[in-house]
Amino acid sequence: MTESVRFEVLGPVRAWRGDVEIELGPPQQRAALAVLLLQGGTSLSPAQLVEALWGGAEPKAATGMVRSYISRLRHALEPATPIKSLGGGYAIVAPALDLTEFQHLLAKGDADSLRTALALWHGTPLSGVNGFEAERVRLEQLRLKAIEDLAAADIEAGHHAEATAALSELITEQPLRERPRELLMLALYRSGRQAEALDVYARIQRRLEDELGLYPGPELREMQRRILSSDPTLAATITRPTQLPPELPEFVGREDLRQALTETLRTSGAAVPVVALEGLAGIGKTTLAVQLGHTIAASFPDGQLFTDLSVSTDPLSELLRGIGVTDLPPSSSERAALWRTRTTGRHLLVILDDARDADEIRPLLPGAGGPAVMITARQRLYGLPHAQWRKVSALDPTASLRLLERLIGPRAHEDVAATKELVRRTAGLPQVLQAVGARVASRPDWTMPQALQRLGRPAPGSPVTPPECGAIEKPYESALSQLSKTQSRAFRLLSHLPTPLVPLATAAKTLNLPLPATAAILESLVDAHLLNPAGPDAYRYQEPLREFARSRAGQEDWIDTALTQNA
C-alpha cells in the first residue's frame, strides 16, 4: 500500500512520504506547489498560477513553465500524486497539510492542543520560496497568538515558571508587543514576584516612550493598577484542601488543653498563630491535633492541610500542591516565598506532624493574616520563637476510664475495682488503653478480673508475645531508636531498680557515672518523655515504659556495667 504524502508550509516548503523527504525541485517549482496547497482544494487555472507566482511580471513563456512545474511535481510525488486536473486547472484536494492541522488544534484552544500546534512549526513559514509575504505575516500572527494563548492557559493552571520562560522568549523576539508583557506581569505576580512584575511594566513604558513616543495600552495600564492595589481577583484560584485524617470516635479528655489551643489558633493578627504539641511517642499528639482540626475547621474555610514530616521527602512541595500550585519553582527559597505569598490572608489550618528539627519547620510556616499552624513533635524544638509549646501528658483516671468504657462497653461496670486497676496499670497512656481495650473487646467471655490476670507482657523467654504488646511497644521502639547508645543503656538498665522511682544518686551508682553526667543523661530522657521528674534529684518511670525498658535490657548491658565497675 502506497503511503500518502504529507506537506509542510510552517517552515520550509517540504513534502514527505513516510520518513523520506521528497525532492521538490527549484524554488519557483516549490512555490507553485505552495500556491496550490494554500487554496484549500480550489482549482487554479494556469493563468491564475502565473499571476500568483510572478504578480504581473511574468516571463513570456510563463504558462509553459507552470505546466512544466506541475508535470515535474506530479512525477516527484508519484505513484499516488495528489495534484489533480480539475476544470482546466490544477488542485490538491484535502492535502495532509501541517497548516490544516495547526488551525484545527488552534480551534480547540486547550493547553495540550496549543502545545501540539506550536510543535508543528519548524522556522519561518513558506521559507525557501519567493513571494508570499502577506501569507507569512498572517501565519506569524497566528503563531504569536497561539504562544500567548498557551501562556495564558499555563498561568491559569498554575504553571507560572513555564509561562514565564515562554513569554520572556517571545518578548525578546517581539519587544513592542504588549500582550506578552501583560501576561508576564500576571505570571510573575502569581509567583510571588510583585516587584519584577512592576518592573516589566516600567521597562515597556520607557521603551514605548523612547522609540515611539507612545504610552502603554489600556490593558497593560490596567494590569499595573491591579498589581499596585493587590487586586484580589488577580490571585489564582486556590484549591481548598481538606487533608485532615478522620476523627477518632472514641476520643476523650484533654478539655482544658483543647480550649486553650482553640483560643490561640483562632487569634488573628500580624503574626501567624503557631501551637506546638510535645510528648511521648504514642501519647496522642497527632490524634489531638487532628481532633482539634476538625473541631475548628469552620474557622479555616480556605482549607486544612496535613503533612506527616516523618515520611515526607519534600513537605514544602506537598503543601504547595495542596493549595493547587502544580508548577513549582526550582529552588527551595523560591518555593518558600511562593508558599508564603499564596497563603497570606487566607484562612488555612496547617498541621505539621512528627517534626524532628526546627530547620525543617521554618520554611513551612505560611504567610500572615489568616493561616494558623499546629506542630507535633516528640520533644521541644528550639529555634521557633513564635511557637507556643504545650506538653501532651497521660490521660487522667477519669478520662482513661471513659476511654476504656467506649472500647469494651458495659463490662467496664461489672467489676469496678478490677476495671480501675486495669486503668491504673495503663498509666493513662492512650495507646496502651487502646490496645488493652481492643484485646478485651475481642474476648467477650473474659471477666474483668480474668482480663487483669491475662493481660500484660509475658516473662522473658515466652514462646508467644500477645498482639497487643506489639501495638503498645511500636512507638516506644521508635523512640528508643532515636536515643544515643548512652541514653538507651541508661533507660534500659535503670528500669531494673526495685521501684519505678529513680533517685539520682542510685542512678549514678548503677551507671557508674559521676552525678553531673548522670543528671544530664536523665534530663535528656525527660526531654524525650521517657522519664518524668519526681521531685529534687529523682525521676520516675511510667509503668508501661518501665516494663518495656526491662524487656529490652539484655545481658550485654549487665556485662558492660560489671566490667566498668571492676575496671
Side-chain angles (χ1 to χ4, degrees), residues 97 101 170 233 237 400 426 530 561:
L97 180 62
E101 184 179 359
L170 181 55
T233 62
T237 301
S400 298
T426 67
L530 295 171
T561 300

Side-chain angles (χ1 to χ4, degrees), residues 195-524:
E196 293 176 66
L198 292 171
D199 185 59
V200 171
Y201 180 86
R203 283 186 279 117
I204 187 60
Q205 183 181 36
R206 288 194 299 269
R207 186 160 193 163
L208 289 172
E209 289 177 354
D210 293 345
E211 297 185 16
L212 302 175
L214 298 174
Y215 293 104
E219 291 84 1
L220 267 177
R221 296 199 304 271
E222 178 64 7
M223 180 60 71
Q224 184 212 30
R225 182 196 67 77
R226 294 171 69 190
I227 290 175
L228 286 171
S229 64
S230 298
D231 185 343
T233 62
L234 276 183
T237 301
I238 297 181
T239 302
R240 284 174 171 76
T242 53
Q243 297 181 353
L244 297 181
E247 297 179 80
L248 280 179
E250 56 272 4
F251 184 88
V252 298
R254 312 197 194 279
E255 287 83 3
D256 291 344
L257 179 55
R258 282 191 285 166
Q259 180 61 34
L261 295 173
T262 298
E263 292 174 1
T264 301
L265 291 168
R266 284 177 170 163
T267 301
S268 60
V272 177
V274 180
V275 298
L277 306 176
E278 61 168 319
L280 175 67
I283 197 70
K285 304 179 297 294
T286 301
T287 300
L288 173 59
V290 170
Q291 188 78 15
L292 186 59
H294 284 287
T295 301
I296 63 175
S299 298
F300 299 93
D302 291 322
Q304 305 86 44
L305 293 149
F306 181 93
T307 297
D308 185 347
L309 298 176
S310 67
V311 298
S312 174
T313 58
D314 189 354
L316 184 54
S317 295
E318 286 184 14
L319 290 169
L320 282 166
R321 283 191 286 267
I323 59 172
V325 178
T326 57
D327 189 16
L328 302 177
S331 72
S332 58
S333 61
E334 287 178 305
R335 290 195 293 274
L338 179 57
W339 165 243
R340 290 190 294 271
T341 298
R342 294 290 294 272
T343 53
T344 295
R346 303 195 65 84
H347 295 283
L348 287 162
L349 177 63
V350 182
I351 298 180
L352 305 174
D353 187 45
D354 204 4
R356 308 295 173 93
D357 189 283
D359 289 339
E360 74 175 340
I361 293 294
R362 279 189 284 269
L364 306 181
L365 297 178
V373 178
M374 274 195 287
I375 300 167
T376 73
R378 294 185 179 179
Q379 61 187 74
R380 183 169 301 212
L381 308 178
Y382 295 91
L384 297 173
H386 300 302
Q388 298 185 36
W389 285 91
R390 304 296 295 263
K391 181 179 178 179
V392 180
S393 301
L395 295 173
D396 61 43
T398 301
S400 298
L401 184 57
R402 282 164 49 203
L403 177 56
L404 191 60
E405 288 172 349
R406 293 191 181 187
L407 293 167
I408 67 175
R411 267 190 296 170
H413 303 287
E414 292 175 357
D415 190 320
V416 175
T419 300
K420 287 184 176 181
E421 175 60 19
L422 187 60
V423 166
R424 187 196 66 76
R425 291 185 187 179
T426 67
L429 300 178
Q431 84 278 14
V432 180
L433 282 160
Q434 290 275 355
V436 167
R439 181 66 164 169
V440 174
S442 72
R443 296 293 187 269
D445 55 327
W446 283 3
T447 64
M448 292 309 295
Q450 287 174 327
L452 268 178
Q453 182 182 1
R454 299 192 183 196
L455 289 172
R457 166 165 279 282
S462 174
V464 176
T465 300
E468 66 270 17
C469 290
I472 291 170
E473 295 174 357
K474 183 177 180 181
Y476 301 158
E477 292 281 10
S478 176
L480 187 63
S481 70
Q482 294 175 26
L483 298 179
S484 69
K485 183 178 180 181
T486 299
Q487 290 172 313
S488 177
R489 176 175 171 271
F491 174 66
R492 297 193 306 267
L493 279 179
L494 297 176
S495 67
H496 284 271
L497 294 176
T499 71
L501 186 68
V502 183
L504 178 58
T506 303
K509 183 177 180 180
T510 303
L511 299 176
N512 196 30
L513 291 172
L515 282 174
T518 303
I521 294 171
L522 298 186
E523 285 295 322
S524 73

